[in-house]
């Protein structure tokens, strides 16, 4: 899959709340734009139930659901996006507590400002919706690894200096071999824009024929050796690493870390295409990282604006109880409120595969589909730490991102081993009150759900486990922020657990998503065995991460309209 570039987008966090939630779990949502959302308008009929209808009903307002809904509205379809909670965005929403505006999801991005064939999928969707996300640019993050602490800089030459100092000349040599091999492959990885993909034979027109010249040109420029290497784009990235004879421990560990942060698996489980695109974004001349000026919630706001601009509807506090199947086809949804919403063309679920399965009547689900979903392994869950604190005593040159790896030998996917920290207020001061900072630390999809299963959130056992399991994050924060930081001076302290994740994000077992490894299995497509029911999001191709889920939403939207409409959109966007 081309154009999977938007950096590290692994972060799911506790969802917002309403007054019935206990204070220990309560997170307050930012309400930006929400008052402008169009509600679902009830119509009479339906055997006493409130009824409405749309061409397409989208369940869930995560990035995939909003991309799908926004593009469908852009195509002229009547679409309604249903969100169970009181703010859109799913795992990418932002929320506000005491004047501190927190990211709950993705916080490390690149490629927002790119346009054309090589833009990342989310940028292409925003472009199609006539929206943009102003960003602050930067080029480094702090790394704390067993070998030492250093400022990791992106770009073609800067990282060599770090390698020379902390890993030695052999690491420099191997890194050069790696870049010299894979950067030429990026032309092939970027030659097919995600916005051109659809889930039917129309893809031959919108993608294969339309971009055949650019694909052939990229292969010709690579030469025979490069073209042969391009055949590995859909194989695990570790196969490329192994074929190059790269053995330096730091290089192997660093590659695993990048893969894990990008897609939740190590290099033996991630598609080469994903890694190659990321390398092209981070290690090419003139590259930069980007953070939205108004915080990552601005991405969601831009998608909502695009949806509504073209007549799409977003209905908040609209919890879907079940998907309605009539004569073997998905024909709508029942809401908790008792309202039935009919879908004239399709129902699209942005829920996980396991949660989507639970929305379906058991008798309507083929046994093979049920077994396949239940057999799919899950990534683990998260611990989160959201802090608001005084900036006094904190270094003025503090960077936005910090990555702490405690022990390479345990593996980057081991629990309590890797902590990621984001302090976005260093680039966007208005996210915190004057003279304050806002911080989000988390263990990236490595917290075992089994430790928490069945616990009463009000119990002392739960509270004690929260304190115990959050300590690794506190220590990482103290290491990154230095002696001027004090836990006791934090004005906001929020600890999220897998149960928080499960409860507020409606995520089965609080999971990050399917633990599908390249070369062993593949992410499911978007149609389901039930006619008129489609899925998008991190349970579908191309997988986990912001660029991947944006692409999945776009693919479903494209698949629900004619090839002619799809081609006109590509012409309008200029790709």
């Amino acid at each position: 899959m081309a154009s999977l570039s938007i950096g590290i987008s692994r972060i799911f966090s506790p969802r917002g709340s309403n007054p019935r939630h206990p204070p220990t779990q309560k997170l307050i949502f930012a309400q930006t734009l929400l008052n402008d959302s169009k509600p679902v308008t009830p119509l009479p009929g339906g055997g006493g139930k409130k009824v409405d209808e749309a061409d397409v009903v989208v369940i869930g307002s995560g990035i995939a659901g909003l991309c799908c809904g926004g593009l469908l509205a852009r195509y002229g379809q009547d679409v309604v996006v249903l969100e169970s909670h009181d703010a859109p965005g799913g795992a990418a929403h932002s929320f506000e507590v005491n004047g501190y505006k927190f990211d709950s999801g993705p916080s490390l991005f690149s490629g927002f400002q790119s346009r054309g064939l090589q833009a990342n999928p989310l940028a292409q969707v925003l472009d199609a919706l006539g929206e943009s996300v102003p960003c602050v640019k930067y080029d480094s993050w702090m790394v704390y690894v067993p070998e030492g602490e250093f400022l990791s800089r992106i770009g073609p030459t800067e990282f060599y200096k770090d390698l020379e100092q902390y890993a030695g000349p052999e690491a420099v040599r191997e890194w050069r071999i790696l870049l010299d091999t894979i950067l030429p492959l990026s032309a092939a990885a970027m030659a097919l824009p995600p916005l051109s993909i659809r889930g039917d034979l129309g893809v031959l027109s919108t993608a294969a024929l339309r971009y055949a010249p650019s694909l052939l040109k990229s292969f010709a420029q690579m030469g025979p050796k490069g073209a042969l290497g391009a055949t590995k784009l859909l194989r695990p990235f570790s196969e490329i690493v192994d074929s190059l004879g790269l053995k330096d421990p730091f290089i192997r560990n660093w590659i695993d870390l990048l893969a894990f942060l990008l897609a939740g698996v190590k290099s033996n489980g991630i598609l080469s295409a994903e890694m190659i695109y990321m390398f092209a974004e981070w290690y090419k001349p003139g590259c930069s990282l980007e953070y939205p000026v108004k915080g990552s919630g601005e991405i969601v706001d831009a998608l909502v604006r695009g949806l509504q601009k073209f007549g799409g509807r977003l209905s908040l506090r609209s919890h879907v109880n079940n998907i309605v199947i009539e004569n073997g086809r998905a024909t709508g949804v029942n809401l908790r409120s008792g309202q039935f919403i009919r879908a004239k063309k399709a129902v699209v679920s942005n829920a996980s595969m396991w949660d989507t399965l639970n929305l379906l009547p058991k008798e309507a689900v083929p046994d093979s589909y049920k077994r396949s979903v239940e057999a799919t392994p899950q990534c683990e869950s998260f611990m989160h730490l959201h802090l608001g604190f005084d900036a006094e005593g904190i270094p003025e040159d503090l960077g936005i991102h910090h990555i702490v790896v405690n022990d390479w030998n345990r593996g980057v996917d081991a629990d309590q081993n890797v902590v990621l920290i984001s302090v976005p207020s260093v680039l966007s001061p208005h996210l915190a009150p004057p003279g304050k900072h806002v911080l989000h630390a988390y263990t990236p999809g490595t917290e075992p759900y089994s430790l928490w299963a069945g616990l009463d959130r009000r119990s002392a056992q739960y509270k004690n486990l929260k304190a115990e399991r959050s300590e690794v994050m506190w220590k990482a924060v103290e290491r990154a922020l230095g002696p001027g930081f004090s836990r006791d001076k934090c004005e906001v302290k929020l600890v999220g657990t897998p149960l928080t994740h499960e409860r507020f994000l409606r995520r089965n077992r609080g999971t990050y998503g399917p633990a599908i490894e390249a070369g062993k299995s593949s992410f499911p497509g978007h149609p389901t065995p039930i006619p008129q029911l489609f899925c998008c999001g991190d349970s579908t191709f191309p997988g986990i991460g912001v660029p991947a889920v944006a692409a999945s939403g776009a693919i479903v939207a494209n698949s629900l309209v004619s090839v002619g409409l799809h081609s006109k959109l590509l012409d309008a966007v200029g790709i």
Side-chain angles (χ1 to χ4, degrees):
M1 180 65 196
S3 208
L4 299 175
S5 67
I6 203 170
I8 302 167
S9 307
R10 291 192 38 75
I11 315 149
F12 289 89
S13 76
R15 191 57 202 198
S17 69
N18 57 46
R20 71 176 180 271
H21 297 142
T24 55
Q25 295 287 339
K26 186 175 181 182
L27 300 179
I28 303 172
F29 280 97
Q31 293 297 319
T32 307
L33 289 177
L34 301 190
N35 293 331
D36 294 328
S37 300
K38 292 183 180 180
V40 175
T41 305
L43 299 175
K49 289 186 177 182
K50 297 177 182 178
V51 177
D52 192 16
E53 67 177 18
D55 292 331
V56 181
V57 173
V58 179
I59 303 171
S61 69
I63 285 179
L66 289 175
C67 286
C68 182
L71 285 178
L72 284 169
R74 173 70 168 78
Y75 282 127
Q77 304 297 298
D78 179 21
V79 60
V80 59
V81 179
L82 303 173
E83 172 55 52
S84 179
H85 292 292
D86 51 4
H93 76 282
S94 62
F95 62 95
E96 189 170 331
V97 177
N98 298 340
Y100 293 93
K101 191 171 183 179
F102 293 96
D103 291 338
S104 69
S107 61
L108 201 164
F109 306 96
S110 66
F112 270 129
Q113 310 308 313
S114 57
R115 290 294 180 270
L117 291 179
Q118 297 184 359
N120 76 59
L122 182 55
Q124 290 182 347
V125 172
L126 288 170
D127 205 20
L129 298 178
E131 295 292 335
S132 61
V133 179
C135 292
V136 181
K137 294 185 177 182
Y138 62 105
D139 64 359
S140 60
W141 67 88
M142 276 299 298
V143 177
Y144 307 82
V145 293
E147 290 85 351
E149 304 174 3
F150 61 92
L151 188 68
S152 177
R153 292 157 291 190
I154 66 172
T157 60
E158 293 299 320
F159 190 54
Y160 286 120
K161 300 175 183 178
D162 301 326
L163 287 176
E164 181 72 37
Q165 181 174 356
Y166 295 100
E170 181 60 18
V172 172
R173 187 188 72 83
E174 290 194 0
W175 187 255
R176 182 171 285 110
I177 291 173
L178 180 64
L179 292 189
D180 288 346
T181 300
I182 66 175
L183 290 183
L185 299 178
S186 64
M190 297 176 175
L192 196 63
L195 203 58
S196 70
I197 306 299
R198 52 189 293 124
D200 57 22
L201 290 178
V203 73
L204 296 175
S205 172
T206 61
L209 294 178
R210 188 182 185 100
Y211 301 102
S214 61
L215 280 166
L216 293 173
K217 181 179 178 181
S218 66
F219 282 119
Q221 290 175 338
M222 288 187 292
K225 184 177 180 180
L228 180 62
T231 62
K232 299 180 180 180
L233 288 175
L234 298 181
R235 296 293 301 166
F237 188 65
S238 60
E239 292 184 5
I240 291 180
V241 175
D242 291 339
S243 70
L244 296 175
L246 306 186
K247 298 179 180 180
D248 182 84
F250 185 89
I251 294 296
R252 300 291 302 222
N253 286 327
W254 187 258
I255 291 171
D256 273 346
L257 177 63
L258 293 179
F260 186 71
L261 297 176
L262 182 63
V265 291
K266 294 191 291 188
S267 61
N268 61 356
I270 191 171
L271 287 176
S272 293
E274 293 186 62
M275 285 292 282
I276 288 170
Y277 199 99
M278 183 271 290
F279 269 87
E281 282 289 304
W282 288 7
Y283 297 106
K284 66 183 180 183
C287 59
S288 66
L289 299 170
E290 300 164 342
Y291 183 78
V293 172
K294 296 182 180 180
S296 65
E298 173 60 16
I299 300 168
V300 174
D301 293 345
L303 290 171
V304 170
R305 289 195 302 268
L307 169 74
Q308 295 178 335
K309 178 192 304 181
F310 292 100
R313 292 175 285 170
L314 169 65
S315 183
L316 304 173
R317 304 178 185 88
S318 298
H319 182 81
V320 174
N321 264 355
N322 62 281
I323 298 169
V324 176
I325 308 298
E326 297 175 336
N327 298 320
R329 309 177 76 84
T331 58
V333 298
N334 285 320
L335 303 186
R336 179 183 288 165
S337 64
Q339 185 175 2
F340 169 67
I341 304 179
R342 182 170 296 281
K344 292 186 287 184
K345 292 185 177 180
V347 174
V348 179
S349 176
N350 186 202
S352 77
M353 62 169 67
W354 303 280
D355 295 295
T356 299
L357 183 64
N358 290 334
L359 292 175
L360 292 167
K362 293 181 180 179
E363 64 276 9
V365 180
D367 289 341
S368 59
Y369 182 67
K370 179 176 182 291
R371 288 194 300 269
S372 175
V373 171
E374 292 177 341
T376 301
Q378 293 182 344
C379 292
E380 292 289 6
S381 191
F382 292 78
M383 290 293 296
H384 293 270
L385 186 63
H386 289 93
L387 303 177
F389 55 93
D390 200 298
E392 184 178 358
I394 304 301
E396 293 184 2
D397 61 349
L398 183 71
I400 178 175
H401 292 294
H402 307 257
I403 300 177
V404 178
V405 180
N406 293 314
D407 184 357
W408 287 126
N409 291 329
R410 292 192 63 214
V412 294
D413 53 352
D415 69 297
Q416 301 272 291
N417 194 30
V418 175
V419 178
L420 307 184
I421 301 168
S422 174
V423 193
S425 51
V426 304
L427 295 180
S428 298
H430 64 277
L431 296 177
K436 310 289 184 179
H437 276 312
V438 60
L439 179 149
H440 177 205
Y442 50 97
T443 55
T446 57
E447 181 65 11
Y449 179 83
S450 59
L451 296 177
W452 303 85
L455 291 183
D456 183 341
R457 298 188 314 276
R458 296 162 295 185
S459 68
Q461 182 182 5
Y462 178 71
K463 294 176 182 178
N464 291 337
L465 190 59
K466 281 177 68 174
E468 174 190 336
R469 300 295 289 182
S470 64
E471 187 64 22
V472 67
M473 296 184 293
W474 280 109
K475 289 181 178 177
V477 169
E478 289 168 343
R479 183 177 181 184
L481 270 58
F485 172 78
S486 172
R487 306 185 190 192
D488 298 333
K489 294 181 180 179
C490 291
E491 298 174 0
V492 176
K493 303 177 185 178
L494 298 171
V495 177
T497 73
L499 297 189
T500 321
H501 214 76
E502 178 182 45
R503 184 185 184 200
F504 290 111
L505 286 184
R506 316 292 189 194
R507 299 285 294 187
N508 181 270
R509 293 172 56 84
T511 182
Y512 175 44
I516 294 175
E517 295 187 1
K520 295 182 180 179
S521 187
S522 59
F523 279 86
H526 307 95
T528 72
I530 299 173
Q532 295 185 186
L533 175 62
F534 296 80
C535 293
C536 64
D538 58 26
S539 287
T540 64
F541 177 83
I544 292 175
V546 168
V549 299
S552 76
I555 292 169
V556 173
N558 297 337
S559 303
L560 292 175
V561 301
S562 69
V563 171
L565 279 177
H566 187 183
S567 297
K568 287 180 180 179
L569 178 64
L570 295 175
D571 291 337
V573 177
I575 58 176

